[in-house]
Every structure is written in C-alpha cells, then in structure tokens.
Amino acid sequence: MSTPRLPDADPTRTARLRESLLAAAFTADGLLDLLGAPAYAALARSETVPALRATRGDGPLETLTRLFLLQCPVAYGRVAAALPVADCLADGWLVRDGDEVRATVDVRPYGGPDGQDWWIVSDLGCAVGGAGGIAGGGGPAGVDRSELVLGVGGASTTLAGITVRTPVGSALDLGTGSGIQALHAAQHATKITATDLNPRALHIARLTLALSGAPEADLRQGSLFEPVAGETFDLIVSNPPFVISPGARLTYRDGGMGGDDLCRTLVRRSADRLNDGGHCQLLANWQHVEGEDWRERLSSWVPRGCDAWIVQREVQDVAQYAELWLRDAGDHRTAPEEYAARYDAWLAEFEARKTKGVGFGWITLRKTGSDRPSVIAEEWPHPVEQPLGPSVTAHFERQDFLRTHDDAALLAARFTLADEVVQEQVGLPGAEDPEHVVLRQNRGMRRATKVDTVGAGFAGVCDGTLPAGRILDAIAQLVGEDAVSLRDRTPDAIRTLVEQGFLSPAGD
C-alpha cells in the first residue's frame, strides 16, 4: 500500500468539507455529547476502546469520529452520507481501498476561545499521546519519525492561554507545527507569519488554517529567526522544540542545540525581531545547573531594553526527565539493552553539563526600551486561571506603573482591590488575634500572600476613592500609630501587593 499524500486545501472544496463537519456536529461540543466525559477523557490519554464503543452507530458523527479521530477504515457508503466524498478523495483527505475509505490525516475538533469551531490537522496517530499516538505506530507509514507533525497537546493549549490577545498588526508563530498558535493569532493580528524547519509542518499548518476558515498565513521554512531576518513583529509566540536531549532525533521536540541553548537563543534574539511595545511569549525547558541559581541564570538571558516575566511551573530530576522523553519517543518498546543505552546517554549528557534538574515554564518578554527593566523570575507550580493573557498584560502594565512611581508618588496614588480577592485569618481556635492574615486571589495567577493587620486593612478599603497616604493616615489614627512612621514603612508592602496583582492603580 502506497503512502498517502498530504491533502490539498482547495478553497471551494475545503469550505464544503467544513460545512459537512459542522452539519454532522463534528465539533468539540458535539464530540463530548457523543462520547460522554469518560470516553472523551480516555481519548486524550490515547485510550480508544471507550470511544470505539460509543461510535458503534451509523450516524454522520459516529462515522467522522471513527474516520478522522480513531483512524478506522469506514465503508464508502457511510462516508458518502457524511462528507463530499469525491472532493475529499480528489484533494487527498481520504483514500479509497476497495469498499472502504481511510483518512490520510488526523482531523480533530477544537473549540476556539470565543466559541469558534476549529479543526486541527496532524499526522495520523500523532494528535494525542506523543509520537506513538493513538495509532501506536508512530505516524503514517513511510514518514520518517523526525518529520512527524503533532496535534494539540497540553503545551499548545497552555501557550495559547497565556498569550496576550490585544489587536496587533503583525504576529509571528515560530515553529508553527500543526498551526494552532497561528490559528489563534489570526483572530487578533492583521498579518500572520508562521515558520518551521519541517516543510511537512508548514503544509499541515496550511490545512489547519484553511479547514478552520482562518485567513491564510505567510508560511516560511527555516530555523529560528532565519526566515524573518530583518523583519519585526508586534507579537512572537513559540512552542519550540525545547526538549533537552543528547541529540536531535525528533524535529518536533529536540532543538538540536546543546542543553537549553535553543531556548536561550530564542530569548536573546527576540528583541531584534520585536517592535516597540511588542511581546515575545514562549514555552521553555531550562537546566538547573549545579552551583547556579536558576533565576539568575534565566534572567541573564533577557535582552537589553526588555521587561521579562519568567514563571517556572514544574521541575523534574534528570532521571524523571529522561524517562518522560524516552517514553515519548517509544524507546520503552525497544529491546532492553537499546533502551538502557539511550537512557545512559541522557544521564551522561546531564552529568557533563552539571545538570541536576530541568525546569519547565513560560517566558514572556515585552520590548520597552527602558534602562530600568523589570525582570521577574519566580516559581509558581499552583493552578492558574486560563486564559491568562489578560493577567499577563496587566502584569506588565503594573511594572510600568511601579517603575515611574517613587514612594511619594505611590502614597499619592489611588488603588483598587482586584476582583475576587478574599481574606483568610489563620490562628489557634479561640485566640483573640490571628497568627497571620492571608490575602488570596481567585482569579488569574490565584496567588496568596501574608499581610499584617495594616496591610489587610489597607487592601480592604482600596476602592479607587482615596489616595494611599490618606488611607494610611486613617489607619494610623485607628490603631494609635504614628502616621509618619506608618507612611515610611508601608510603601514596600504596597509595591508587593501591586506587583503581585492584589492591587491595581486607579489613576493618579
């Protein structure tokens, strides 16, 4: 059997295909209704049996689910009742094998941020569960594993959720893969450029955009910023091949540079490709090097003239990390001695680089040109509220405010308490006073911070009406403290509450 070619995206025929998918309710909501929550969740874990049981009917939705998600051969007549089968055969979405029809790519419904019905195209067996995928064979026959194009995973949705979505003139999706970030960016950017080292990825990204009804992107092949040399953008997003590995076996995940050099290079070069005020947002892995503070190490990557917010979400020891990506590549299914040799190569690489662990997280840069940049590197492994893009925007706006306000200006400013902040008092039962007071956010980053009674009282009355200094004077009178002393010692606490998003400036 010959290897199926990738589909073409004829505009008219692709529009008819999209209309058929909608008519059959082959959407994220439609799938959930058909499969039920347990089978839907199982499919995301690469377990297909519950979905196979749920699609034993002969309706159009069952047919399309088996065809495109489960990659089962389906009778020609059933497919013809659900799709413009002649169009799909002509363009290569399907191939016919006797009385049955098979899909040539995985087509997976995906819900857009504003209720849009989108479809993400990827290689067969590569939509979920890594390159082994639901097909278990590591992609379509005849395609080198290093060229496989994966669909939407947790990293993709995380990046989409944290990306700033203010309208921009130009956006760059660097390392586009199946095109999910370009698809999101097309909703708020006038011009989209998407790059990838893998030409197969560019073809599949074009299919994702076309099938989802998005505008065409300027697709370019090449590594890092080479395809856009001399150009600048308002937004750069990247889910790069950030895996720290002893080689570059798989293009979709292995960067081909030593250690975390690929992510470092992306960060350092990004400023030259950003317009003033522009953002660069990427996911990254970084080494925890013996004798070095990871925060200082990553802060040194930040180019001049850029603010940065670096959030570490997880840390794995080197053995955990190696095992994760060995499983991703299917190496656990090879001969034991081959698996052991590859495992040893990973550990040897880490030992040579004095790497004791690997961090995973987000890096956001904003080009300000300021000679007093705000560079914050922090660890936050706790749940956050997605989408987080508005919180990212607000974070940098608060840094602008703090950079331009000394203590006197801070006390003259007015603030409002962020939405859904609650106060918790912790102490022994029956005690007259709490041991400490905690302010907790229920939105955005969902932070918690300890404050004293003055800080709690101050935050509680911040409604944008009175300047901070006036509020402190009233608190001083209430608690019998010297007002000047309270004004002197409180600005640092106010700065912390503003920096962490508990308080927002209400105007000068």
Side-chain angles (χ1 to χ4, degrees):
M1 186 182 300
S2 60
T3 302
R5 65 180 174 87
L6 286 173
D8 296 322
D10 176 84
T12 301
R13 291 196 289 266
T14 302
R16 285 199 291 263
L17 172 57
R18 180 168 60 252
E19 291 166 3
S20 296
L21 300 181
L22 288 170
F26 188 61
T27 62
D29 289 342
L31 271 182
L32 182 58
D33 290 342
L34 171 68
L35 301 179
Y40 193 85
L43 193 60
R45 299 191 302 269
S46 306
E47 297 290 348
T48 62
V49 173
L52 287 167
R53 290 179 59 83
T55 56
R56 288 176 292 186
D58 59 0
L61 182 53
E62 288 92 340
T63 295
L64 297 181
T65 302
R66 282 186 167 249
L67 187 67
F68 285 122
L69 265 67
L70 303 175
Q71 280 111 54
C72 298
V74 180
Y76 181 92
R78 284 186 58 182
V79 177
L83 293 175
V85 68
D87 289 353
C88 294
L89 289 169
D91 279 353
W93 295 95
L94 306 174
V95 292
R96 187 169 183 175
D97 187 9
D99 293 332
E100 292 183 323
V101 173
R102 294 179 292 104
T104 61
V105 288
D106 185 295
V107 176
R108 188 156 302 253
Y110 179 86
D114 298 315
Q116 303 99 324
D117 290 314
W118 293 339
W119 295 269
I120 309 302
V121 181
S122 62
D123 271 318
L124 293 173
C126 296
V128 294
I134 62 175
V143 178
D144 191 289
R145 284 175 60 81
S146 67
E147 299 176 1
L148 292 175
V149 181
L150 271 63
V152 178
S156 301
T157 55
T158 294
L159 179 58
I162 68 171
T163 299
V164 172
R165 297 298 176 195
T166 52
V168 294
S170 58
L172 169 65
D173 177 12
L174 193 152
T176 188
S178 60
I180 178 62
Q181 307 305 329
L183 182 57
H184 275 278
Q187 311 309 301
H188 64 101
T190 303
K191 179 185 177 183
I192 306 295
T193 303
T195 68
D196 206 288
L197 184 62
N198 182 3
R200 188 177 184 85
L202 296 176
H203 192 126
I204 286 180
R206 181 179 290 109
L207 297 176
T208 290
L209 294 169
L211 190 57
S212 298
E216 291 186 9
D218 181 0
L219 302 173
R220 306 183 194 179
Q221 183 182 356
S223 176
L224 300 178
F225 291 111
E226 291 173 2
V228 293
E231 299 178 55
T232 56
F233 302 87
D234 300 312
L235 173 67
I236 299 171
V237 292
S238 184
N239 180 15
F242 51 63
V243 175
I244 300 171
S245 61
R249 294 171 57 203
L250 302 174
T251 303
Y252 71 85
R253 66 164 212 193
D254 300 325
M257 294 185 181
D260 51 21
D261 282 357
L262 183 134
C263 293
R264 178 180 55 83
T265 300
L266 274 177
V267 171
R268 286 190 170 175
R269 294 182 183 176
S270 61
D272 291 337
R273 302 277 72 81
L274 281 175
N275 292 324
D276 291 341
H279 294 83
C280 173
Q281 298 186 265
L282 66 147
L283 303 184
N285 280 185
W286 46 78
Q287 298 168 122
H288 281 228
V289 179
E290 185 177 345
E292 297 184 33
D293 185 299
W294 73 268
R295 295 171 181 82
E296 295 179 0
R297 187 168 179 273
L298 265 68
S299 295
S300 72
W301 294 2
V302 178
R304 293 179 61 184
C306 287
D307 288 354
W309 187 18
I310 302 165
V311 181
Q312 180 167 272
R313 298 287 287 159
E314 182 182 1
V315 182
Q316 290 188 331
D317 64 50
V318 292
Q320 285 178 303
Y321 189 81
E323 290 163 14
L324 170 67
W325 295 109
L326 287 166
R327 286 194 300 272
D328 172 83
D331 291 327
H332 60 301
R333 294 191 294 265
T334 62
E337 60 274 12
E338 185 177 348
Y339 174 79
R342 286 180 172 165
Y343 197 156
D344 185 72
W346 282 71
L347 297 184
E349 177 78 5
F350 285 134
E351 183 179 10
R353 293 183 176 275
K354 298 182 179 180
T355 302
K356 59 183 181 179
V358 178
F360 171 84
W362 323 320
I363 299 176
T364 299
L365 306 178
R366 186 186 58 157
K367 188 172 183 178
T368 64
S370 174
D371 57 2
R372 295 172 54 204
S374 165
V375 178
I376 296 174
E378 61 174 324
E379 187 164 14
W380 190 253
H382 311 294
V384 300
E385 180 191 40
Q386 287 279 31
L388 201 64
S391 296
V392 175
T393 301
H395 168 88
F396 287 108
E397 290 174 347
R398 294 193 302 270
Q399 305 316 306
D400 284 341
F401 172 86
L402 292 172
R403 182 164 36 222
T404 57
H405 285 68
D406 60 16
D407 287 357
L410 203 66
L411 294 174
R414 293 174 287 114
F415 300 94
T416 57
L417 187 66
D419 293 337
E420 296 189 34
V421 172
V422 297
Q423 176 178 308
E424 301 173 356
Q425 296 187 169
V426 181
L428 293 174
E432 183 175 345
D433 296 313
E435 292 180 16
H436 57 262
V437 178
V438 174
L439 298 182
R440 187 178 302 277
Q441 302 169 351
N442 287 311
R443 304 296 304 271
M445 290 291 285
R446 294 176 173 163
R447 297 184 187 276
T449 188
K450 291 182 182 180
V451 293
D452 59 17
T453 54
V454 171
F458 177 84
V461 297
C462 281
D463 60 3
T465 303
L466 294 174
R470 291 274 302 278
I471 295 175
L472 291 176
D473 291 344
I475 292 175
Q477 185 175 11
L478 186 65
V479 301
E481 186 172 341
D482 180 70
V484 174
S485 175
L486 189 61
R487 278 175 171 254
D488 286 344
R489 70 176 175 84
T490 305
D492 283 347
I494 296 175
R495 288 183 184 279
T496 298
L497 291 175
V498 173
E499 183 178 283
Q500 295 186 353
F502 289 93
L503 297 177
S504 297
D508 295 330

